[in-house]
Amino acid sequence: MFASLSIDSVLAQENSGERPKDRKRKSCQENAGNLTNALPDDVLENMFASLSIDSRVTSTASMRSGKGSFIILDDNILAGGNSDCTTTSTDSRRPRSEVFIERVNDLLLRHVGTRVRVFEVRFDLNSTHAAHLDKWVQFASEAGAQDVKLSLCKNTTSCPEHFVTANRYNFPLHCFGDGRQRSSMRKLDLTNCIFTPPPDSGAFSSLVCLYLVRVTITDSGIQNICSCCPILRHLRLARCDNLVNVRISHEVLICLDIFRCKKLVSVEIHATCLLIFEYDGREVHINYASTPSMRFLVNKFGHQNGYLSDGVEGMKRIRKITLTFLWPSEKPSYTLYAIKFTAIQFINLFILPSWNNVRGVAYLVKATPYLKRLRLEARSGDHHYRDDVQVSWPEGISLKRLRFITVGGFAAQAPLVELLVCMVHAGARSRRTYLQIDPHHHLCKGLGRWVREDVGDKPARDRVREAARETLRSRLPPWIQLAW
């Protein structure tokens, strides 16, 4: 059901100058933002987990559909993937970028006047190729492209950590109007570019999704985005290393994702409709100034231990959080969890097993008495604990609603075993609790999507699983049902 959903269909917005056949949808579009807040938590999470951030198109050059062509320009054009282009003997002696540009120009000439829905460029280009890139972006604008993506990187799937260019291409804002004209673009995805949005412009007033990866943009540029993109729903800032103090102020923003912006110091959020916030990077100060609708929160502070920041207690609708406990020598502070977070029902934790870390988890679950599901993902690393330690658990832990515990990367580590024993005894004995153990490590792809890592050989994992089974059976009470 949710596999066919798109951000356009879930968060459709009113467009000026709409065609007569779209008028029947107008009343529904006006209330789209409010409808998402009324959805049940499980439906909302599955829906957003299925939304496509990248276009799922495998065509090399173009593919026709009823709503317009899909034009995707990448390395396959050089490999002869485009049937409209032929490879000559002289092409092998010319620079790749020169051959690519010539073939793209020839292809686009054949598509003049064609309506385009998706336009993508995935190739290693920079400011020295600006004249051609400007023409291609202008083509996308004139063709009415709704989804525009420029990934100007050596790697066509992602931009490697070590790859930095001093000649980033400056995205041409003028191609989408003079500031008074409204474009048809709804999604913009830029990698390895410069993006300088003006403070007041109608060119991006239809933009719903904006993804910026390794993009040169300033703090003021982020504020300009908030002012000139009134119906923006999804904003992603990844490895934008010029950002220092980010302030997000937007009335209808639903998803905000900030990923490893290495100079970032603080984040301030004023977004009354924000449902999902994901942060992954160095430890920064996050001020949830106005986020009353928040439901899903992810805070990954690198190799530091996570905590529930100031303002979380004011989120009355928050249901799921994801934190990290990856600093084994940091002593837990009970003062961080002196307040009860009664709305939280689901917790995901990445943990490096140590006695300090498991005590920190114990303080966290004590502060969430209505917890229903707990997922622990043990990270591999050095042995950070002694086996003969008597740990002092916090008093008054009550987990009467806890029903499901999942542990990934489990190898019968002593701190994890003691933590599990502590939690299951704090649960309700009158109802069965399910404990699922898996020696595999897992990666979280966001919004509840987990991908298993096959680390090591299968016989070794089987031995770990058997040893863990024997260890837990002798320690757990009979009302716990183990699953492997």
Side-chain angles (χ1 to χ4, degrees):
M1 172 182 176
F2 295 106
S4 61
L5 289 177
S6 66
I7 294 180
D8 290 337
S9 62
V10 176
L11 305 172
Q13 291 298 308
E14 179 183 359
N15 291 315
S16 62
E18 62 182 1
R19 296 181 299 275
K21 66 179 182 180
D22 293 331
R23 290 174 183 167
K24 294 181 180 179
R25 304 192 190 107
K26 185 174 181 180
S27 60
C28 295
Q29 293 172 345
E30 292 174 346
N31 297 318
N34 293 330
L35 289 175
T36 55
N37 279 333
L39 290 174
D41 294 331
D42 54 346
V43 173
L44 184 71
E45 181 179 357
N46 288 331
M47 181 177 70
F48 277 98
S50 302
L51 294 180
S52 174
I53 292 180
D54 297 326
S55 297
R56 307 290 183 180
V57 183
T58 57
S59 171
T60 300
S62 66
M63 180 177 69
R64 295 295 183 93
S65 72
K67 297 182 180 180
S69 298
F70 287 59
I71 297 182
I72 299 178
L73 311 169
D74 57 15
D75 275 328
N76 289 327
I77 290 181
L78 300 180
N82 179 15
S83 59
D84 293 335
C85 300
T86 58
T87 303
T88 64
S89 59
T90 58
D91 287 345
S92 60
R93 297 189 294 269
R94 298 162 60 195
R96 293 175 70 255
S97 60
E98 183 179 326
V99 178
F100 180 81
I101 289 172
E102 180 181 292
R103 295 190 178 187
V104 169
N105 287 335
D106 180 65
L107 175 68
L108 296 185
L109 281 175
R110 302 180 184 184
H111 285 79
V112 171
T114 302
R115 184 183 177 189
V116 175
R117 183 181 181 186
V118 176
F119 182 86
E120 296 188 10
V121 178
R122 306 172 185 169
F123 202 80
D124 178 21
L125 300 172
N126 53 45
S127 60
T128 62
H129 312 103
H132 297 284
L133 285 166
D134 286 352
K135 292 179 181 178
W136 301 349
V137 174
Q138 184 67 44
F139 168 86
S141 176
E142 294 175 352
Q146 297 183 15
D147 188 341
V148 176
K149 178 176 181 177
L150 298 184
S151 183
L152 308 183
C153 200
K154 289 184 178 180
N155 189 320
T156 57
T157 58
S158 63
C159 206
E161 179 73 26
H162 64 273
F163 180 71
V164 178
T165 176
N167 300 312
R168 284 178 173 169
Y169 170 63
N170 197 339
F171 186 78
L173 304 174
H174 64 272
C175 292
F176 293 90
D178 57 3
R180 296 182 299 272
Q181 180 181 351
R182 183 175 182 176
S183 75
S184 59
M185 183 170 58
R186 298 177 64 82
K187 303 177 188 177
L188 178 61
D189 189 335
L190 299 179
T191 300
N192 211 28
C193 298
I194 299 173
F195 188 57
T196 312
D200 298 308
S201 173
F204 298 98
S205 59
S206 297
L207 204 62
V208 176
C209 306
L210 178 61
Y211 313 121
L212 303 179
V213 181
R214 291 195 182 278
V215 168
T216 301
I217 187 171
T218 62
D219 296 343
S220 59
I222 298 299
Q223 296 186 36
N224 292 342
I225 288 173
C226 294
S227 62
C228 69
C229 304
I231 63 172
L232 189 67
R233 292 293 192 266
H234 194 298
L235 174 62
R236 185 170 199 258
L237 307 172
R239 303 188 188 278
C240 298
D241 295 334
N242 290 77
L243 298 178
V244 180
N245 297 296
V246 172
R247 187 178 189 274
I248 304 293
S249 180
H250 204 283
E251 293 183 357
V252 298
L253 187 68
I254 290 179
C255 300
L256 175 61
D257 182 6
I258 300 178
F259 180 80
R260 298 186 184 179
C261 300
K262 65 181 182 181
K263 293 183 181 179
L264 194 62
V265 175
S266 67
V267 179
E268 183 177 339
I269 308 174
H270 300 260
T272 56
C273 290
L274 189 67
L275 302 179
I276 301 168
F277 174 57
E278 297 191 45
Y279 177 83
D280 188 338
R282 58 179 294 185
E283 185 174 2
V284 300
H285 175 69
I286 302 177
N287 179 13
Y288 303 99
S290 178
T291 55
S293 301
M294 185 85 75
R295 295 199 190 181
F296 311 120
L297 176 64
V298 178
N299 277 351
K300 300 179 184 177
F301 289 147
H303 294 291
Q304 303 299 314
N305 285 356
Y307 55 89
L308 296 179
S309 306
D310 296 338
V312 176
E313 68 275 8
M315 303 176 189
K316 303 303 182 183
R317 305 186 68 183
I318 192 167
R319 293 295 181 268
K320 176 179 287 188
I321 62 170
T322 298
L323 299 174
T324 56
F325 284 82
L326 300 177
W327 189 250
S329 60
E330 181 178 338
K331 293 184 178 180
S333 174
Y334 68 90
T335 59
L336 293 176
Y337 307 110
I339 302 174
K340 297 294 184 181
F341 302 93
T342 56
I344 296 176
Q345 300 178 8
F346 308 94
I347 296 180
N348 298 322
L349 299 177
F350 293 90
I351 181 171
L352 189 61
S354 75
W355 294 111
N356 284 329
N357 282 347
V358 296
R359 289 189 69 228
V361 174
Y363 280 116
L364 174 61
V365 298
K366 179 182 177 180
T368 55
Y370 294 97
L371 182 64
K372 293 181 178 179
R373 292 175 179 262
L374 174 67
R375 184 179 190 118
L376 299 171
E377 280 297 325
R379 300 289 88 182
S380 58
D382 297 332
H383 200 70
H384 293 286
Y385 58 86
R386 300 201 324 263
D387 293 327
D388 57 343
V389 172
Q390 288 287 11
V391 63
S392 176
W393 300 106
E395 298 180 357
I397 300 179
S398 178
L399 301 173
K400 301 302 182 183
R401 299 193 181 187
L402 183 62
R403 291 294 171 267
F404 298 94
I405 303 175
T406 302
V407 184
F410 186 77
Q413 300 96 325
L416 285 183
V417 171
E418 297 301 325
L419 176 63
L420 292 175
V421 172
C422 172
M423 288 192 299
V424 297
H425 279 92
R429 301 189 180 188
S430 59
R431 300 178 63 180
R432 186 176 296 276
T433 300
Y434 297 88
L435 175 60
Q436 182 175 3
I437 303 297
D438 191 347
H440 294 87
H441 294 282
H442 298 77
L443 294 176
C444 181
K445 295 299 183 180
L447 302 176
R449 292 175 293 143
W450 294 86
V451 178
R452 191 176 74 175
E453 291 183 298
D454 288 327
V455 179
D457 56 5
K458 186 177 183 301
R461 291 195 299 270
D462 290 340
R463 289 192 296 271
V464 169
R465 183 182 289 108
E466 187 60 32
R469 181 184 289 112
E470 295 302 321
T471 300
L472 289 176
R473 278 178 175 172
S474 62
R475 300 294 309 279
L476 297 180
W479 62 82
I480 301 299
Q481 180 167 328
L482 279 172
W484 300 88

